[in-house]
Each structure stands twice: as C-alpha cells, then as structure tokens.
Amino acid sequence: MIKKMSISTKILIAMGIGLILGSLINVFFSEVAWVQSYLVNGLFYVVGAAFVNALKMLVVPLVTFSLICGVCGIGDVSVLGRIGVKAFGLYILTTAMAITLALLIAIIVAPGKGFERVANASTFTPTPAPPLTDVFINIVPSNPINAFAEGNMLQIIFFVILFAIAMLMCGEIGRELNQLAEKLNEVMMKVVTLVMDVAPIGVFFLMAKTFSEQGFGLIVPMIGYFSVVIVALLIHAFGTLSLLLAVFAKLNPLIFIKKMRSAHIFAFSTASSNATIPITLQAVEQRLGVNNATAAFTVPLGATVNMDGTAIMQGVATVFIANVYGIDLGPGEYATVVGMSILASIGTAGVPGVGLIMLAMVFNQVGLPVEGIGLILGVDRLLDMVRTAVNVTGDATVTCIVARGENEIDDAIFNDPEAGVITEVELPHKHIAENSG
Ligand code: ASP
C-alpha cells in the first residue's frame, strides 16, 4: 500500500511550487499589467489573505479553551506560578542569548562598512512604538470583550488565567465548566485540522504572492546584512536552541526539528507567530508530546513575549546602520540594545513586520537615525519570514524545557515518528439511504 502523504509534506511541496512560480513572475512578468492585477493582486492575494484570516480565526477560541483546560489541568495556583515564572525567565534568557549572538557576529563581520548611503534612506516613517509604561499597564484588560475582539494575546491570557483560577475555586460548578471547555477544546483542535487540510492551497498562494513581489534581486545590494542575519538565525535555531533542548529537556533536537516542520512552514509563509499559534500548539502537544496543561500556557505566551529571531535581526540591523552612518557604538550602547530589544519583544505581538517598529524603539534609545531603517526595508519581508520560524522554534523549545521540569512530556509520543501526523481529514457523510424516502 502506498503510504499516504502527510499534510505537512503536501504543504512543503505547495510552498516550493509557490516560491518558484512567484519568483518566475517577479523576473518575467513584473511589468505585465494583467498578471499583476488578476493574478498577483487578484487570485494570489485573495486566497492567501483569506487563508491567513482562517488561521487567525482559530487563535482566540483555541487559546481560550485550551488555556482554561491547561490551568484547570494544573489545578494548583502555586504550580501555575512556577510554570509562568520559569517560562517567562527562559523566554527572556533565550532572547538575550539571541541578541548577544547577533551583536557578536555582526561586530566581527561588520556588515555595512563602506556601504554607500542610499538616497531613499529616508522613505521610512516609523510608526510610533508604544511607551514601555503602557506595555505593562496594557497587560490588564479594562474590557475583556474588547481584548477578545481585538485578539490582544497578553490581555486574553491574563483574563483567562484569572477566570480559570476562579473556576478552580468554585468547586463543582468549575468542574462542570471545565468539562465543557475540554469538549470545546477538542472540537477546536478538529477545526485546526480542517484548516490544515486546505493549507497546501493557502500556502501556495501566499508564497506565490510574496515572491512575485519580493524578487531575490532585492537581496543583492544588501547581501552583507541579509546573510549575517540569516547566519545568526541559523546558528541560534540549530545551535543554541538545540543545545538547550538537548541539555535541559533531554530531547533529541533532530526529532524536534523534524516534528516542528508544519509550524515552521506556517510561520515562514504567514510571517506571524500569532497566526501560527494553532499549528504550534498542535505540533507541541500532539507531535512532541507536551501535555496541554503546560503547552496551553507557554505557547501563546511565547508567541507574544518571545521573539528570538526578531531580536537577532535587531542586533544585526543596529550594527549595520551604525556602520553605514559611521557612528561608533560603545559597550553601554550595546547593553542598551540588548535590554531594549528584550523589552520590545515582550510588549509587542507576533505579527508581520512588527520587528521594524520595535527596531525604531531601539534606535531611538541608542541615538541611531531612525530613517536608516529605510535601508533594510526592502529585504525585511524575507527576513521576517525566516525570523518568525525561529521565533516559533524558541517558543516550542522553552515549552519542552518547562514541560520536562514539570514531568509533563510524554517521551513515547516524542519518539513516535507517526504521532500526531495529519494525513487526511475524513469529513462526515450522511447516509443517503437513511435520509431518503
Ligand atoms: N513577524 C514576527 C513574528 O510574528 C515579528 C517580527 O519580527 O516582525 O513573530
């Protein structure tokens, strides 16, 4: 019997074809009006954007139900606090490691030295970054319905945890509600598989659209900056994070990377760790074997507060722009960059392009010209895709480490290559015979 192809293999193939088609359009048809209006900005855009909407549609209900189950599953507020502190601490630690690595590599390679200042450097108008005080105040929602409507992850997490703790305190009523939440969570996970089923199509169009606009030609003048970011991202993902995973979670990084494939593909094609939450949760719980009690809490939290890949881009960008403008940065400024990018990643959500807004915050703080960001704008979309995959890898790594500490990871599931693989969704069919006549 021929082995059925898993959905993530199908998505990978669709991604490759979309990438090639998009790149070809970029080279040969970028001036052809009908291709641009009917295909790139028509079909590709519509299907791709609708697919991203379908992913985002899952995030709020899935996080809500699974977080309620998670908190009730833990059942003990002090354990919850311990998991929270561990996860938060590890998220900060991995981000600090990421940005330090990026600064070191960038200082050694020195991209941007002797780079001609490009005339359009001032085309970037920064969106004002949120003041840090607001970042903390805004963790507490003044109106939870608003938080749910806007999909504000930190506020949702805050409210749901509080609500679930209250459920624990309510005895029987709380238990009944929790049973309901468990059922709803299971149904939501099924909705994830339904969306995954059409993902090859969605990812194909997303890729085709992105690459028909983002030709590889853009990379050539920026090759120094681009490659330093990519190298640092790869070292962090496959070196630092793999090492942490092997030492602290006692897990095989190769299996981990293989099983994270669908989350990587979704992160890469959507450039949004928030939109990827449902897939990361599916991968972490069903493929890697982490118990929902831990993952439901650490994955959405990570998507918001942990951005290793973004921090790496910021470190390299800081050194690059300083070199281009001939500004010398000292140890004090570098320390500020480390601190600022950690704080910035806590305060902003994982959505496409947010890294640049955070970068404006970092530049302001160390006195680099914010309009310099205009220089790296052209290649940012491609880097955004890769760094989002690294962001998601960081979330899953920390989740596994925390789960190991809490004895909440099932090694049998982790080591089973087939665990949690989605092959084909079987839709229910009514029996015509039963209903006719
Ligand atoms: N797109 C990234 C994410 O969603 C954030 C960024 O670096 O812009 O994780």
Side-chain angles (χ1 to χ4, degrees):
M1 206 183 88
I2 301 168
K3 208 175 143 210
K4 268 187 201 148
M5 205 187 268
S6 75
I7 282 290
S8 65
T9 311
K10 283 187 194 160
I11 301 171
L12 195 65
I13 294 170
M15 183 170 131
I17 302 176
L19 194 151
I20 294 169
L21 179 72
S23 307
L24 288 176
I25 290 179
N26 182 272
V27 176
F28 298 110
F29 298 97
S30 57
E31 303 293 319
V32 184
W34 72 265
V35 173
Q36 291 302 320
S37 45
Y38 291 111
L39 282 184
V40 178
N41 296 310
L43 186 68
F44 296 177
Y45 170 64
V46 172
V47 183
F51 174 66
V52 173
N53 273 359
L55 277 178
K56 289 189 190 157
M57 157 188 96
L58 307 171
V59 176
V60 173
L62 185 66
V63 167
T64 307
F65 303 137
S66 96
L67 196 51
I68 291 179
C69 299
V71 174
C72 292
I74 294 173
D76 180 341
V77 179
S78 65
V79 177
L80 188 71
R82 190 176 68 216
I83 293 179
V85 169
K86 268 195 212 166
F88 196 74
L90 281 168
Y91 282 142
I92 291 188
L93 183 78
T94 52
T95 309
M97 290 167 95
I99 181 136
T100 312
L101 171 83
L103 284 174
L104 285 177
I105 299 180
I107 291 169
I108 295 167
V109 180
K113 276 258 152 73
F115 189 93
E116 289 286 298
R117 242 186 264 183
V118 184
N120 72 356
S122 57
T123 50
F124 181 75
T125 24
T127 322
L132 276 179
T133 41
D134 284 6
V135 168
F136 290 105
I137 297 170
N138 287 338
I139 293 177
V140 187
S142 60
N143 178 349
I145 304 294
N146 224 4
F148 282 94
E150 287 171 357
N152 185 323
M153 267 356 250
L154 275 188
Q155 296 193 346
I156 294 176
I157 292 173
F158 184 88
F159 179 75
V160 172
I161 289 181
L162 215 58
F163 189 84
I165 291 175
M167 278 170 62
L168 284 175
M169 295 160 68
C170 283
E172 190 47 37
I173 297 177
R175 264 190 295 283
E176 280 167 21
L177 256 186
N178 184 31
Q179 280 168 4
L180 182 67
E182 268 166 15
K183 288 173 189 156
L184 288 168
N185 189 35
E186 201 173 322
V187 176
M188 271 317 294
M189 273 293 187
K190 274 281 174 293
V191 185
V192 174
T193 57
L194 284 177
V195 174
M196 288 278 271
D197 215 30
V198 295
I201 302 168
V203 167
F204 168 78
F205 284 114
L206 271 181
M207 285 289 123
K209 162 98 166 72
T210 307
F211 282 88
S212 48
E213 288 172 343
Q214 302 279 320
F216 287 103
L218 279 175
I219 298 173
V220 178
M222 299 294 294
I223 200 82
Y225 165 75
F226 190 86
S227 19
V228 175
V229 177
I230 294 287
V231 167
L233 286 173
L234 294 178
I235 296 180
H236 184 72
F238 296 111
T240 317
L241 292 178
S242 291
L243 198 70
L244 291 177
L245 192 79
V247 174
F248 295 108
K250 309 210 170 21
L251 295 172
N252 182 337
L254 291 177
I255 300 180
F256 171 86
I257 287 165
K258 215 168 154 212
K259 291 196 162 194
M260 280 294 289
R261 191 166 75 178
S262 53
H264 284 151
I265 296 171
F266 277 79
F268 184 81
S269 23
T270 60
S272 165
S273 20
N274 260 16
T276 311
I277 289 175
I279 318 300
T280 316
L281 266 179
Q282 197 270 345
V284 165
E285 289 182 15
Q286 294 172 11
R287 304 273 290 130
L288 300 176
V290 176
N291 195 327
N292 168 265
T294 308
F297 184 30
T298 54
V299 169
L301 183 70
T304 324
V305 305
N306 183 48
M307 293 184 194
D308 297 359
T310 308
I312 286 174
M313 176 279 281
Q314 294 179 341
V316 180
T318 306
V319 176
F320 175 72
I321 300 296
N323 283 342
V324 170
Y325 283 84
I327 298 168
D328 276 329
L329 297 178
E333 273 100 359
Y334 287 127
T336 311
V337 174
V338 174
M340 281 304 293
S341 53
I342 293 173
L343 285 175
S345 76
I346 296 173
T348 41
V351 291
V354 78
L356 281 189
I357 300 170
M358 293 152 59
L359 189 62
M361 225 159 130
V362 176
F363 276 19
N364 269 332
Q365 203 67 27
V366 288
L368 284 178
V370 173
E371 66 272 14
I373 295 178
L375 289 178
I376 54 174
L377 216 55
V379 288
D380 195 66
R381 174 69 195 188
L382 284 182
L383 289 178
D384 195 4
M385 299 164 92
V386 186
R387 69 179 182 248
T388 306
V390 176
N391 289 346
V392 168
T393 312
D395 301 343
T397 306
V398 168
T399 298
C400 289
I401 297 175
V402 174
R404 173 63 78 208
E406 297 296 321
N407 221 351
E408 291 280 2
I409 188 157
D410 185 337
D411 288 285
I413 296 184
F414 184 89
N415 292 317
D416 173 6
E418 296 302 315
V421 173
I422 302 172
T423 41
E424 205 169 85
V425 179
E426 279 189 29
L427 292 172
H429 293 289
K430 273 189 184 167
H431 291 292
I432 297 164
E434 270 173 25
N435 296 310
S436 60

